[in-house]
Amino acid sequence: MSWHVPEEDLRAYVRGELAAPALWSADAHLTSCARCRGGLAEAGDPAVLDAGWERLDAELDAPRAGLLERLLVRIGVAGHTARLLAATPVLRGSWLGAVVLVLLLSVGAGHAVRGGEFPTLFLALAPLLPLAGVALSYGPALDPTYEMTVVAPTHGFRLLMIRTVAVLAVVLGLNGLATLALPAYGLRGLAWLLPALALTATGLALTPRLGPVLAPSLVGGAWVGLLLTADALRTGADVPLAPFTVAGQGVAAGVAALAAGLLFLLRDRFDLFQGRAV
């Protein structure tokens, strides 16, 4: 080989100052010339070279963002928040598939109801789905990423709210789509919304005291017990259950507001709760 990269060009190449077309010639030549590659290594700073290899290793070892995380970042969500949301267990396919299946079955039951009756099964199950989703998103027993979130520099209450908003947006959106599949009931098909907010807020407010499993379990059990009692007391199949009447909706709104206020007052206890869980 009759031509080699001059020493001055090698030093400029190392500093990133070599301009075209000499840069193009050096790139092409270095791939096939061991002598010039050796000269390039001598011209470079070993500390800078080692730092470059470390950055490359770190980049190769860094976890690749999933589709959900990339989509969240694209719409303006901060990178660390997007990662917390993407790690939420209930935003994965298995949970969402189960929610869709439950809603399809309840909507099918609603279409099978005789004229004049309420889609009771749908209205009973729809409020439980966001409660269960939020419960599965937080706590050492159910969240596989809980230990990582505990050591993250994030307030426990903020993490809970981030995931709660995400779960509510997804589950309430699916519930809303299911409601559209029951057009014959009109606004009566939305009677699940206020109970859903009331159950979720109450479960969250009780979590620092009872834990992320017991609190929503008790709230869900109380809801089922309330529905069974209301069903035993109603006078006919065409009469809505008490929680789905105007008075019942007002009570649900009041419970949701009170639970939300209590949750705000107890927000600092979630950090204490995290410390006990660890």
Side-chain angles (χ1 to χ4, degrees):
M1 187 175 295
S2 59
W3 179 84
H4 295 282
V5 181
E7 185 176 348
E8 292 183 2
D9 286 354
L10 287 176
R11 287 197 292 267
Y13 189 93
V14 169
R15 296 192 302 269
E17 298 174 356
L18 187 63
L23 175 63
W24 303 335
S25 299
D27 280 334
H29 181 77
L30 287 168
T31 59
S32 58
C33 180
R35 172 183 167 182
C36 288
R37 288 197 299 271
L40 182 66
E42 294 176 358
D45 185 350
V48 175
L49 183 61
D50 291 341
W53 279 113
E54 290 178 0
R55 289 195 300 272
L56 179 60
D57 288 340
E59 183 66 23
L60 293 175
D61 293 339
R64 293 292 180 263
L67 176 61
L68 176 60
E69 185 176 346
R70 294 197 303 270
L71 178 61
L72 291 171
V73 172
R74 182 67 62 88
I75 63 177
V77 178
H80 63 282
T81 301
R83 179 141 304 181
L84 287 174
L85 288 174
T88 304
V90 298
L91 295 184
R92 297 172 183 170
S94 57
W95 162 258
L96 294 178
V99 170
V100 171
L101 179 60
V102 169
L103 289 175
L104 288 176
L105 292 175
S106 59
V107 168
H111 281 290
V113 170
R114 296 189 301 273
E117 295 185 9
F118 267 64
T120 303
L121 180 61
F122 172 71
L123 295 178
L125 290 177
L128 293 174
L129 296 178
L131 174 66
V134 172
L136 291 171
S137 300
Y138 189 80
L142 301 172
D143 181 8
T145 65
Y146 183 77
E147 292 183 357
M148 291 186 291
T149 59
V150 167
V151 299
T154 303
H155 194 289
F157 183 74
R158 181 176 182 273
L159 171 62
L160 176 65
M161 288 298 99
I162 288 174
R163 288 189 166 180
T164 296
V165 170
V167 171
L168 287 179
V170 172
V171 178
L172 295 185
L174 292 175
N175 282 354
L177 291 176
T179 302
L180 295 178
L182 296 169
Y185 299 99
L187 292 178
R188 295 181 299 173
L190 289 174
W192 56 267
L193 180 57
L194 288 175
L197 296 178
L199 294 182
T200 302
T202 303
L204 289 173
L206 294 177
T207 293
R209 181 69 177 177
L210 301 178
V213 176
L214 182 58
S217 298
L218 290 178
V219 172
W223 172 249
V224 173
L226 176 62
L227 293 180
L228 292 176
T229 302
D231 184 59
L233 295 177
R234 69 174 174 173
T235 57
D238 57 340
V239 178
L241 296 180
F244 308 125
T245 61
V246 175
Q249 294 288 290
V251 171
V255 171
L258 289 175
L262 181 61
L263 178 62
F264 179 77
L265 293 176
L266 299 177
R267 62 189 183 280
D268 291 334
R269 294 193 178 183
F270 282 91
D271 286 331
L272 299 176
F273 166 73
Q274 280 186 320
R276 291 196 305 268
V278 176

